Amino acid sequence: MKGTEPDEEQLVRRTAKGDRAAFEELYRRTSPWLAVRLRRRCADEQIVAEVMQETYLAVWRAAGAFAGSAVGGSAVGWLWTIAARRLVDAFRRRARHAQPLPVAETTVSPAAEDEALAGAVGDHVGDALRRLAPELRQVLQAMVLDGLTVRETSVLLGLPEGTVKTRARRARIAMREALS
């Protein structure tokens, strides 16, 4: 590896060529982060484990479909998109079988991803994000950061679609006012 480790995008590209070692390294680097992020959205460890397994199976099978930086994406973002959609699918399966899912408790301390976002977008925007009500920030995170649709956000957060739309609108207005 010439003294430098490959980044996640290179690992995905090598995985697409059937490189099992690259896949294992990608898993080693990303699975702890992914599990934490999933647990923030679902308190059911069995669901989290299933989603993790389904996600990495999908990555192994579809690594060749990863477009990456050519379309402005990242390997970690691609991985999260797969996982988030698998989590929504798991919620839908449970809903069909009428088994309510325990929802993860909202914590008071900021998540690492929130801190990273605030740092990446600058102090002024970061401050505005931190001042948003938690329920607005959740919707904004799911729709903007995670790239989920209104319907997927609705299923993920266990809210009616109308509530998601209203909270998204309120979040946009609050951000616009805070930044003006």
Side-chain angles (χ1 to χ4, degrees):
M1 285 190 267
K2 298 178 185 173
T4 61
E5 289 189 16
D7 64 16
E8 285 80 7
E9 184 169 338
Q10 292 167 329
L11 291 172
V12 171
R13 298 212 184 285
R14 287 177 35 201
T15 297
K17 296 175 183 173
D19 184 337
R20 184 171 291 278
F23 176 74
E24 290 170 359
E25 177 64 15
L26 180 68
Y27 179 84
R28 185 190 65 73
R29 286 188 197 178
T30 60
S31 63
W33 163 84
L34 185 61
V36 166
R37 200 160 181 191
L38 288 168
R39 284 185 192 110
R40 288 188 63 223
R41 287 159 178 82
C42 177
D44 187 324
E45 281 298 318
Q46 183 180 354
I47 295 289
V48 170
E50 289 171 12
V51 169
M52 292 281 292
Q53 184 177 14
E54 291 173 11
T55 298
Y56 284 101
L57 182 61
V59 167
W60 177 255
R61 290 179 175 164
F66 172 64
S69 57
V71 295
S74 71
V76 174
W78 179 70
L79 187 76
W80 172 245
T81 300
I82 293 170
R85 293 184 192 281
R86 294 297 186 276
L87 184 59
V88 168
D89 290 344
F91 285 174
R92 286 182 181 144
R93 283 191 302 271
R94 280 286 172 102
R96 277 195 300 261
H97 295 99
Q99 295 175 333
L101 280 176
V103 176
E105 294 294 320
T106 304
T107 57
V108 185
S109 61
E113 62 200 41
D114 294 336
E115 293 291 323
L117 173 67
V121 296
D123 289 338
H124 195 57
V125 175
D127 288 342
L129 283 170
R130 283 187 287 277
R131 284 193 304 265
L132 275 180
E135 67 273 8
L136 301 182
R137 195 170 40 247
Q138 278 183 326
V139 169
L140 191 68
Q141 179 180 7
M143 294 181 71
V144 176
L145 297 180
D146 300 342
L148 300 179
T149 65
V150 170
R151 175 170 284 162
E152 291 167 336
T153 301
S154 169
V155 172
L156 181 67
L157 298 177
L159 300 169
E161 288 182 36
T163 302
V164 169
K165 290 177 185 177
T166 300
R167 288 182 182 178
R169 183 173 181 276
R170 286 177 48 209
R172 285 193 300 272
I173 291 169
M175 289 295 291
R176 193 175 306 120
E177 288 173 357
L179 296 173
S180 63

PDB file of all heavy atoms in Angstrom, residues 121-141:
ATOM      1  N   VAL A 121     -20.002  23.061   8.329  1.00  0.00           N
ATOM      2  CA  VAL A 121     -20.790  24.118   7.707  1.00  0.00           C
ATOM      3  C   VAL A 121     -20.504  25.495   8.274  1.00  0.00           C
ATOM      4  O   VAL A 121     -21.081  26.462   7.822  1.00  0.00           O
ATOM      5  CB  VAL A 121     -22.304  23.814   7.792  1.00  0.00           C
ATOM      6  CG1 VAL A 121     -22.645  22.577   7.025  1.00  0.00           C
ATOM      7  CG2 VAL A 121     -22.765  23.713   9.220  1.00  0.00           C
ATOM      8  N   GLY A 122     -19.639  25.589   9.234  1.00  0.00           N
ATOM      9  CA  GLY A 122     -19.259  26.888   9.763  1.00  0.00           C
ATOM     10  C   GLY A 122     -19.974  27.206  11.062  1.00  0.00           C
ATOM     11  O   GLY A 122     -21.007  26.635  11.386  1.00  0.00           O
ATOM     12  N   ASP A 123     -19.396  28.146  11.793  1.00  0.00           N
ATOM     13  CA  ASP A 123     -19.905  28.485  13.121  1.00  0.00           C
ATOM     14  C   ASP A 123     -21.328  29.021  13.089  1.00  0.00           C
ATOM     15  O   ASP A 123     -22.164  28.626  13.880  1.00  0.00           O
ATOM     16  CB  ASP A 123     -18.987  29.506  13.792  1.00  0.00           C
ATOM     17  CG  ASP A 123     -17.657  28.882  14.199  1.00  0.00           C
ATOM     18  OD1 ASP A 123     -17.608  27.654  14.353  1.00  0.00           O
ATOM     19  OD2 ASP A 123     -16.690  29.639  14.351  1.00  0.00           O
ATOM     20  N   HIS A 124     -21.621  29.929  12.160  1.00  0.00           N
ATOM     21  CA  HIS A 124     -22.931  30.562  12.110  1.00  0.00           C
ATOM     22  C   HIS A 124     -24.028  29.528  11.825  1.00  0.00           C
ATOM     23  O   HIS A 124     -25.044  29.479  12.522  1.00  0.00           O
ATOM     24  CB  HIS A 124     -22.923  31.668  11.055  1.00  0.00           C
ATOM     25  CG  HIS A 124     -24.070  32.616  11.153  1.00  0.00           C
ATOM     26  ND1 HIS A 124     -24.356  33.331  12.290  1.00  0.00           N
ATOM     27  CD2 HIS A 124     -25.017  32.953  10.243  1.00  0.00           C
ATOM     28  CE1 HIS A 124     -25.423  34.074  12.086  1.00  0.00           C
ATOM     29  NE2 HIS A 124     -25.843  33.872  10.849  1.00  0.00           N
ATOM     30  N   VAL A 125     -23.812  28.690  10.824  1.00  0.00           N
ATOM     31  CA  VAL A 125     -24.789  27.649  10.482  1.00  0.00           C
ATOM     32  C   VAL A 125     -24.833  26.596  11.588  1.00  0.00           C
ATOM     33  O   VAL A 125     -25.902  26.125  11.971  1.00  0.00           O
ATOM     34  CB  VAL A 125     -24.462  27.007   9.114  1.00  0.00           C
ATOM     35  CG1 VAL A 125     -25.408  25.855   8.818  1.00  0.00           C
ATOM     36  CG2 VAL A 125     -24.530  28.049   8.008  1.00  0.00           C
ATOM     37  N   GLY A 126     -23.675  26.249  12.124  1.00  0.00           N
ATOM     38  CA  GLY A 126     -23.620  25.277  13.215  1.00  0.00           C
ATOM     39  C   GLY A 126     -24.401  25.752  14.429  1.00  0.00           C
ATOM     40  O   GLY A 126     -25.132  24.979  15.052  1.00  0.00           O
ATOM     41  N   ASP A 127     -24.272  27.043  14.752  1.00  0.00           N
ATOM     42  CA  ASP A 127     -25.039  27.600  15.868  1.00  0.00           C
ATOM     43  C   ASP A 127     -26.533  27.527  15.587  1.00  0.00           C
ATOM     44  O   ASP A 127     -27.327  27.188  16.465  1.00  0.00           O
ATOM     45  CB  ASP A 127     -24.633  29.060  16.126  1.00  0.00           C
ATOM     46  CG  ASP A 127     -23.249  29.182  16.741  1.00  0.00           C
ATOM     47  OD1 ASP A 127     -22.752  28.160  17.290  1.00  0.00           O
ATOM     48  OD2 ASP A 127     -22.670  30.273  16.672  1.00  0.00           O
ATOM     49  N   ALA A 128     -26.919  27.841  14.355  1.00  0.00           N
ATOM     50  CA  ALA A 128     -28.336  27.797  13.987  1.00  0.00           C
ATOM     51  C   ALA A 128     -28.867  26.372  14.100  1.00  0.00           C
ATOM     52  O   ALA A 128     -29.979  26.153  14.587  1.00  0.00           O
ATOM     53  CB  ALA A 128     -28.527  28.328  12.565  1.00  0.00           C
ATOM     54  N   LEU A 129     -28.069  25.392  13.684  1.00  0.00           N
ATOM     55  CA  LEU A 129     -28.487  23.989  13.790  1.00  0.00           C
ATOM     56  C   LEU A 129     -28.659  23.577  15.248  1.00  0.00           C
ATOM     57  O   LEU A 129     -29.619  22.903  15.601  1.00  0.00           O
ATOM     58  CB  LEU A 129     -27.463  23.071  13.123  1.00  0.00           C
ATOM     59  CG  LEU A 129     -27.492  23.006  11.612  1.00  0.00           C
ATOM     60  CD1 LEU A 129     -26.277  22.254  11.091  1.00  0.00           C
ATOM     61  CD2 LEU A 129     -28.765  22.362  11.133  1.00  0.00           C
ATOM     62  N   ARG A 130     -27.729  23.976  16.088  1.00  0.00           N
ATOM     63  CA  ARG A 130     -27.803  23.611  17.502  1.00  0.00           C
ATOM     64  C   ARG A 130     -29.005  24.243  18.199  1.00  0.00           C
ATOM     65  O   ARG A 130     -29.532  23.693  19.150  1.00  0.00           O
ATOM     66  CB  ARG A 130     -26.504  23.982  18.222  1.00  0.00           C
ATOM     67  CG  ARG A 130     -25.374  23.003  17.950  1.00  0.00           C
ATOM     68  CD  ARG A 130     -24.162  23.308  18.813  1.00  0.00           C
ATOM     69  NE  ARG A 130     -23.457  24.508  18.380  1.00  0.00           N
ATOM     70  CZ  ARG A 130     -22.567  24.542  17.402  1.00  0.00           C
ATOM     71  NH1 ARG A 130     -22.258  23.443  16.756  1.00  0.00           N
ATOM     72  NH2 ARG A 130     -21.965  25.670  17.073  1.00  0.00           N
ATOM     73  N   ARG A 131     -29.460  25.400  17.709  1.00  0.00           N
ATOM     74  CA  ARG A 131     -30.603  26.075  18.328  1.00  0.00           C
ATOM     75  C   ARG A 131     -31.944  25.504  17.868  1.00  0.00           C
ATOM     76  O   ARG A 131     -32.969  25.804  18.469  1.00  0.00           O
ATOM     77  CB  ARG A 131     -30.548  27.571  18.048  1.00  0.00           C
ATOM     78  CG  ARG A 131     -29.507  28.293  18.903  1.00  0.00           C
ATOM     79  CD  ARG A 131     -29.669  29.800  18.851  1.00  0.00           C
ATOM     80  NE  ARG A 131     -29.635  30.332  17.499  1.00  0.00           N
ATOM     81  CZ  ARG A 131     -28.557  30.824  16.899  1.00  0.00           C
ATOM     82  NH1 ARG A 131     -27.411  30.848  17.526  1.00  0.00           N
ATOM     83  NH2 ARG A 131     -28.629  31.299  15.677  1.00  0.00           N
ATOM     84  N   LEU A 132     -31.940  24.694  16.812  1.00  0.00           N
ATOM     85  CA  LEU A 132     -33.202  24.086  16.353  1.00  0.00           C
ATOM     86  C   LEU A 132     -33.750  23.153  17.430  1.00  0.00           C
ATOM     87  O   LEU A 132     -32.990  22.474  18.120  1.00  0.00           O
ATOM     88  CB  LEU A 132     -32.969  23.251  15.093  1.00  0.00           C
ATOM     89  CG  LEU A 132     -32.979  23.943  13.742  1.00  0.00           C
ATOM     90  CD1 LEU A 132     -32.720  22.913  12.649  1.00  0.00           C
ATOM     91  CD2 LEU A 132     -34.267  24.679  13.485  1.00  0.00           C
ATOM     92  N   ALA A 133     -35.065  23.107  17.538  1.00  0.00           N
ATOM     93  CA  ALA A 133     -35.697  22.143  18.450  1.00  0.00           C
ATOM     94  C   ALA A 133     -35.317  20.735  18.009  1.00  0.00           C
ATOM     95  O   ALA A 133     -35.185  20.477  16.801  1.00  0.00           O
ATOM     96  CB  ALA A 133     -37.214  22.319  18.408  1.00  0.00           C
ATOM     97  N   PRO A 134     -35.116  19.808  18.943  1.00  0.00           N
ATOM     98  CA  PRO A 134     -34.679  18.451  18.589  1.00  0.00           C
ATOM     99  C   PRO A 134     -35.560  17.773  17.536  1.00  0.00           C
ATOM    100  O   PRO A 134     -35.050  17.104  16.648  1.00  0.00           O
ATOM    101  CB  PRO A 134     -34.724  17.690  19.911  1.00  0.00           C
ATOM    102  CG  PRO A 134     -34.616  18.736  20.963  1.00  0.00           C
ATOM    103  CD  PRO A 134     -35.249  19.969  20.390  1.00  0.00           C
ATOM    104  N   GLU A 135     -36.888  17.972  17.624  1.00  0.00           N
ATOM    105  CA  GLU A 135     -37.771  17.312  16.651  1.00  0.00           C
ATOM    106  C   GLU A 135     -37.593  17.878  15.246  1.00  0.00           C
ATOM    107  O   GLU A 135     -37.730  17.162  14.258  1.00  0.00           O
ATOM    108  CB  GLU A 135     -39.244  17.380  17.095  1.00  0.00           C
ATOM    109  CG  GLU A 135     -39.858  18.762  17.112  1.00  0.00           C
ATOM    110  CD  GLU A 135     -39.651  19.534  18.415  1.00  0.00           C
ATOM    111  OE1 GLU A 135     -38.886  19.066  19.291  1.00  0.00           O
ATOM    112  OE2 GLU A 135     -40.251  20.611  18.548  1.00  0.00           O
ATOM    113  N   LEU A 136     -37.223  19.159  15.151  1.00  0.00           N
ATOM    114  CA  LEU A 136     -36.954  19.757  13.841  1.00  0.00           C
ATOM    115  C   LEU A 136     -35.600  19.295  13.316  1.00  0.00           C
ATOM    116  O   LEU A 136     -35.437  18.999  12.129  1.00  0.00           O
ATOM    117  CB  LEU A 136     -37.000  21.286  13.922  1.00  0.00           C
ATOM    118  CG  LEU A 136     -38.302  21.925  14.396  1.00  0.00           C
ATOM    119  CD1 LEU A 136     -38.180  23.441  14.376  1.00  0.00           C
ATOM    120  CD2 LEU A 136     -39.474  21.458  13.569  1.00  0.00           C
ATOM    121  N   ARG A 137     -34.623  19.233  14.211  1.00  0.00           N
ATOM    122  CA  ARG A 137     -33.280  18.791  13.824  1.00  0.00           C
ATOM    123  C   ARG A 137     -33.314  17.346  13.332  1.00  0.00           C
ATOM    124  O   ARG A 137     -32.642  16.998  12.366  1.00  0.00           O
ATOM    125  CB  ARG A 137     -32.318  18.971  15.001  1.00  0.00           C
ATOM    126  CG  ARG A 137     -30.868  18.890  14.608  1.00  0.00           C
ATOM    127  CD  ARG A 137     -29.896  19.301  15.704  1.00  0.00           C
ATOM    128  NE  ARG A 137     -30.247  18.860  17.028  1.00  0.00           N
ATOM    129  CZ  ARG A 137     -30.611  19.674  18.025  1.00  0.00           C
ATOM    130  NH1 ARG A 137     -30.676  20.967  17.839  1.00  0.00           N
ATOM    131  NH2 ARG A 137     -30.908  19.184  19.208  1.00  0.00           N
ATOM    132  N   GLN A 138     -34.130  16.484  13.972  1.00  0.00           N
ATOM    133  CA  GLN A 138     -34.248  15.078  13.539  1.00  0.00           C
ATOM    134  C   GLN A 138     -34.741  14.986  12.102  1.00  0.00           C
ATOM    135  O   GLN A 138     -34.207  14.215  11.307  1.00  0.00           O
ATOM    136  CB  GLN A 138     -35.249  14.325  14.426  1.00  0.00           C
ATOM    137  CG  GLN A 138     -34.720  13.824  15.714  1.00  0.00           C
ATOM    138  CD  GLN A 138     -35.802  13.036  16.447  1.00  0.00           C
ATOM    139  OE1 GLN A 138     -36.982  13.347  16.372  1.00  0.00           O
ATOM    140  NE2 GLN A 138     -35.385  12.012  17.155  1.00  0.00           N
ATOM    141  N   VAL A 139     -35.781  15.746  11.782  1.00  0.00           N
ATOM    142  CA  VAL A 139     -36.342  15.720  10.435  1.00  0.00           C
ATOM    143  C   VAL A 139     -35.322  16.260   9.439  1.00  0.00           C
ATOM    144  O   VAL A 139     -35.100  15.679   8.375  1.00  0.00           O
ATOM    145  CB  VAL A 139     -37.672  16.493  10.365  1.00  0.00           C
ATOM    146  CG1 VAL A 139     -38.124  16.701   8.935  1.00  0.00           C
ATOM    147  CG2 VAL A 139     -38.748  15.756  11.161  1.00  0.00           C
ATOM    148  N   LEU A 140     -34.692  17.368   9.792  1.00  0.00           N
ATOM    149  CA  LEU A 140     -33.682  17.960   8.916  1.00  0.00           C
ATOM    150  C   LEU A 140     -32.543  16.982   8.674  1.00  0.00           C
ATOM    151  O   LEU A 140     -32.084  16.802   7.539  1.00  0.00           O
ATOM    152  CB  LEU A 140     -33.160  19.251   9.549  1.00  0.00           C
ATOM    153  CG  LEU A 140     -32.292  20.142   8.681  1.00  0.00           C
ATOM    154  CD1 LEU A 140     -33.117  20.738   7.553  1.00  0.00           C
ATOM    155  CD2 LEU A 140     -31.691  21.260   9.524  1.00  0.00           C
ATOM    156  N   GLN A 141     -32.108  16.308   9.711  1.00  0.00           N
ATOM    157  CA  GLN A 141     -31.028  15.329   9.589  1.00  0.00           C
ATOM    158  C   GLN A 141     -31.424  14.189   8.654  1.00  0.00           C
ATOM    159  O   GLN A 141     -30.674  13.811   7.769  1.00  0.00           O
ATOM    160  CB  GLN A 141     -30.668  14.784  10.962  1.00  0.00           C
ATOM    161  CG  GLN A 141     -29.573  13.741  10.931  1.00  0.00           C
ATOM    162  CD  GLN A 141     -29.251  13.215  12.316  1.00  0.00           C
ATOM    163  OE1 GLN A 141     -29.920  13.530  13.298  1.00  0.00           O
ATOM    164  NE2 GLN A 141     -28.238  12.401  12.388  1.00  0.00           N
TER     165      GLN A 141
END
